[in-house]
């Protein structure tokens, strides 16, 4: 967190809402920084009441007189903006909602995480196999 200024410096893209820019399973590297948000930046944000962060692009920026900035986001592969995803009566995101900005990515490396979450029995089977391997291996 000290280097990236982000509570989560790495996230996995879980849906196809940002295709073609990012595919499901891509790992994004985040940095928050203090620079104002700009149209076109890809940000990762959390909505109150939801555990999973969302990766979408800034499509509008609203700069207030007090120096704060609100943003509106949209997935590249979505037809409408994200106001339907935000909390009830929320029309904009502000800095407290944003975890970071995407500054780099590794394609498809996060598919392992997605597969383990989609098929939990596979995860338990792999852990069991690793346990058996550890117990039966000799030096």
């Amino acid at each position: 967190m000290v280097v990236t200024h982000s509570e989560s410096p790495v996230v996995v893209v879980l849906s196809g809402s940002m295709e073609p820019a990012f595919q499901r399973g891509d790992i994004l590297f985040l940095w928050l920084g203090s620079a104002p948000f700009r149209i076109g930046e890809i940000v990762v944000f959390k909505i109150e009441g939801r555990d999973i962060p969302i990766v979408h692009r800034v499509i509008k920026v609203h700069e207030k007189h007090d120096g704060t900035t609100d943003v509106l986001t949209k997935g590249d592969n979505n037809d409408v903006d994200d106001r339907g995803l935000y909390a009830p009566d929320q029309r904009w995101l502000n800095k407290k909602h944003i975890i970071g900005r995407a500054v780099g990515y590794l394609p498809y490396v996060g598919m392992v995480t997605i597969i383990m979450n989609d098929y939990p029995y596979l995860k338990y089977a792999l852990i069991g196999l690793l346990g058996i391997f550890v117990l039966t291996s000799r030096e």
Side-chain angles (χ1 to χ4, degrees):
M1 182 164 171
V2 174
V3 175
T4 65
H5 304 279
S6 174
E7 72 178 63
S8 176
V10 177
V11 295
V12 176
V13 177
L14 299 176
S15 76
S17 67
M18 280 303 292
E19 291 179 0
F22 298 113
Q23 307 295 319
R24 190 169 189 251
D26 289 354
I27 289 183
L28 300 182
F29 299 101
L30 306 181
W31 179 78
L32 186 56
S34 60
F37 297 103
R38 296 291 170 228
I39 293 173
E41 283 187 304
I42 296 170
V43 296
V44 178
F45 60 92
K46 274 187 160 179
I47 299 298
E48 292 176 30
R50 294 186 179 209
D51 294 332
I52 298 173
I54 299 170
V55 178
H56 282 173
R57 188 179 305 274
V58 174
I59 60 167
K60 288 186 182 175
V61 175
H62 178 70
E63 295 179 4
K64 297 180 181 178
H65 294 293
D66 63 1
T68 60
T69 303
D70 291 341
V71 299
L72 177 63
T73 55
K74 177 185 171 294
D76 290 356
N77 203 23
N78 295 347
D79 293 329
V80 296
D81 63 41
D82 290 341
R83 286 187 172 137
L85 297 175
Y86 300 164
D89 298 325
Q90 180 181 354
R91 299 188 46 80
W92 299 88
L93 297 175
N94 56 44
K95 192 163 184 164
K96 76 175 184 178
H97 299 108
I98 298 175
I99 298 171
R101 311 164 203 249
V103 293
Y105 76 103
L106 286 173
Y108 302 110
V109 176
M111 282 306 288
V112 173
T113 302
I114 291 173
I115 290 168
M116 294 298 174
N117 285 328
D118 287 351
Y119 305 101
Y121 293 115
L122 179 62
K123 176 172 44 178
Y124 300 129
L126 286 174
I127 291 171
L129 284 172
L130 286 171
I132 290 169
F133 178 72
V134 167
L135 292 173
T136 60
S137 65
R138 298 182 191 182
E139 289 188 6

